[in-house]
Amino acid sequence: VCIMALAAGAGRLSFDPRYSPFFENEDPQLLAFERLREVFGPSDSVSFVVEAAEGDAFSAESLELLEALTERAWHLPFAQRVESLTNYAHSSVDCAPDDPALCDLATTAPRVESATVLDDAGRRAVRDVALAAPELSGRLVDREGARAAVMVTVRPDGDPMATNQAIVEAARSLASELEAAH
């Protein structure tokens, strides 16, 4: 009887993604957090992880999938920024050996202009730079180079339940579609 009485209320259960229910209205930490969100806006992220069936994250198929995922991720609801191996611009400085004042700043790999035209040497260059760059290794690619990530920064607006639902549904749909194709 007790279980049936408790089960009757199950239909009224809901999930609230906000932080505020866990704090009192005048809690200083909650007020500081809300002030931060007012100044900088809310921000969340969606992460896609790609693991190659064969080879590593720098195989031709993996880079093509990362490139397609990066392009399509821009169409997720509320997407503001998309980061991956294929759109990350790595800068380097090339100095003349006899005059360090003569330096050229160059943007090089791992930015992948088109994964379909990269040869083995190009993929190795992308791999070498990505695994050596501390801002990429362990973040957008694991330290072994087996898996890579596409990170999407989203700025939800409006009702948190509705925006979170829209983002999750679109992300899952995109992941399913690309997983089936690759």
Side-chain angles (χ1 to χ4, degrees):
V1 172
C2 289
I3 292 174
M4 292 182 72
L6 291 172
R12 292 189 297 265
L13 290 176
S14 65
F15 174 75
D16 189 345
R18 297 173 299 162
Y19 295 94
S20 55
F22 299 103
F23 298 92
E24 294 181 24
N25 289 339
E26 297 304 317
D27 185 286
Q29 291 175 334
L30 176 63
L31 294 175
F33 176 73
E34 288 177 350
R35 176 71 181 131
L36 268 173
R37 288 177 67 100
E38 286 174 19
V39 172
F40 297 104
S43 172
D44 286 314
S45 63
V46 175
S47 300
F48 297 92
V49 178
V50 174
E51 183 174 19
E54 293 180 19
D56 60 14
F58 303 96
S59 68
E61 184 178 349
S62 292
L63 287 174
E64 287 176 27
L65 174 57
L66 285 169
E67 186 175 45
L69 181 54
T70 301
E71 290 173 15
R72 301 275 306 278
W74 279 106
H75 300 287
L76 289 176
F78 310 104
Q80 291 241 311
R81 180 178 177 163
V82 179
E83 297 175 87
S84 79
L85 291 175
T86 62
N87 72 350
Y88 178 81
H90 171 71
S91 298
S92 64
V93 177
D94 184 26
C95 293
D98 56 340
D99 189 359
L102 297 174
C103 295
D104 290 327
L105 178 66
T107 300
T108 59
R111 179 161 177 75
V112 177
E113 295 297 330
S114 177
T116 57
V117 298
L118 271 181
D119 59 2
D120 288 340
R123 286 192 294 278
R124 273 194 305 277
V126 170
R127 178 187 175 85
D128 292 345
V129 170
L131 294 179
E135 66 274 14
L136 293 176
S137 182
R139 184 171 171 265
L140 291 179
V141 63
D142 69 341
R143 287 177 172 67
E144 293 77 36
R147 289 168 290 286
V150 174
M151 306 288 288
V152 184
T153 302
V154 293
R155 292 211 176 226
D157 188 26
D159 175 36
M161 288 295 288
T163 56
N164 284 351
Q165 177 98 20
I167 293 166
V168 168
E169 286 177 3
R172 286 182 177 163
S173 174
L174 176 58
S176 295
E177 183 181 328
L178 289 175
E179 188 175 20
H182 292 271

